[in-house]
Amino acid sequence: MRKNIKSLMIVLVLAVAAIIFITTTASTTQSINVLGVAQTSISTSNAEVTLNAKEMNDYENAVAAMINNVRVDNGLNAIAADGLLNEVATIRSQDLINRNYFSHYTPEGTNVFDVMRASGVSYRYAGENLAQSAPASVGTPEGFMNAWMNSPTHMANILRAQYTKIGVSMVEIDSRRVVTTVFTN
């Protein structure tokens, strides 16, 4: 447990460093920010599933396809879209938009792993990559994918061999777009 907490802290520090780098090198009027975190060996939950499976739209399918292309190009298996993970990703994206924050932790201190456990999503390995853009139009699937692949923590999340499922959600309002990807095995 202590090792997992230490690993999580290292990932969070690297993610913050990546955000600072991306934010300081991006244009002042257009930017893409990303956050990524992974956890491993998490106990599964027997809670009742309360989510409804959600289909991905064209944008979300494009993000998932790009992730799978990168995985296959790196000798890994493609991962399958999962309707419940799409819904978890939507909950996260919508909350980030509705409450105007950008973090793996809600203002109350909960995160995607809490959402998955509360919803009965079982996993041994799980991770989340976040991205946001302003204006929304610069947040293309290609733009977010490039930002993730230029960040060691996000690329590691995308290329984690243990992952077999993905959920993707894009939500935008006014001039802000948020994309959440959720990975599990």
Side-chain angles (χ1 to χ4, degrees):
M1 178 70 161
R2 190 172 214 159
K3 189 175 183 180
N4 284 344
I5 292 172
K6 186 176 179 182
S7 296
L8 180 58
M9 293 300 290
I10 290 169
V11 169
L12 289 174
V13 168
L14 290 172
V16 169
I19 292 168
I20 291 168
F21 172 76
I22 290 168
T23 302
T24 57
T25 59
S27 165
T28 57
T29 59
Q30 297 183 354
S31 66
I32 293 177
N33 298 324
V34 294
L35 287 175
V37 66
Q39 284 190 348
T40 60
S41 302
I42 303 300
S43 61
T44 59
S45 170
N46 292 323
E48 184 177 323
V49 176
T50 57
L51 299 179
N52 295 316
K54 177 188 171 285
E55 295 293 320
M56 288 191 286
N57 62 32
D58 290 343
Y59 183 100
E60 295 158 345
N61 275 314
V63 170
M66 287 179 192
I67 287 171
N68 273 330
N69 288 340
V70 167
R71 288 178 61 85
V72 170
D73 288 348
N74 283 274
L76 299 170
N77 292 329
I79 52 182
D82 182 275
L84 291 179
L85 292 182
N86 292 337
E87 186 62 31
V88 168
T90 299
I91 288 168
R92 291 286 294 136
S93 290
Q94 197 65 60
D95 192 53
L96 291 164
I97 287 283
N98 290 348
R99 299 199 297 162
N100 197 29
Y101 70 98
F102 187 63
S103 172
H104 289 293
Y105 292 91
T106 67
E108 298 78 30
T110 62
N111 59 33
V112 69
F113 309 109
D114 297 311
V115 174
M116 286 191 284
R117 280 191 294 272
S119 302
V121 175
S122 298
Y123 57 91
R124 181 167 171 84
Y125 298 93
E128 173 185 67
N129 280 354
L130 300 176
Q132 71 173 354
S133 64
S137 61
V138 302
T140 63
E142 296 84 2
F144 285 146
M145 193 66 194
N146 287 336
W148 285 326
M149 293 308 291
N150 285 317
S151 164
T153 56
H154 299 95
M155 183 169 50
N157 230 6
I158 289 167
L159 297 177
R160 184 174 289 266
Q162 293 87 350
Y163 294 152
T164 59
K165 299 176 188 175
I166 188 171
V168 181
S169 173
M170 184 275 290
V171 175
E172 69 178 63
I173 188 168
D174 300 326
S175 64
R176 183 175 175 222
R177 177 176 290 166
V178 171
V179 173
T180 301
T181 58
V182 179
F183 306 94
T184 66
N185 64 318

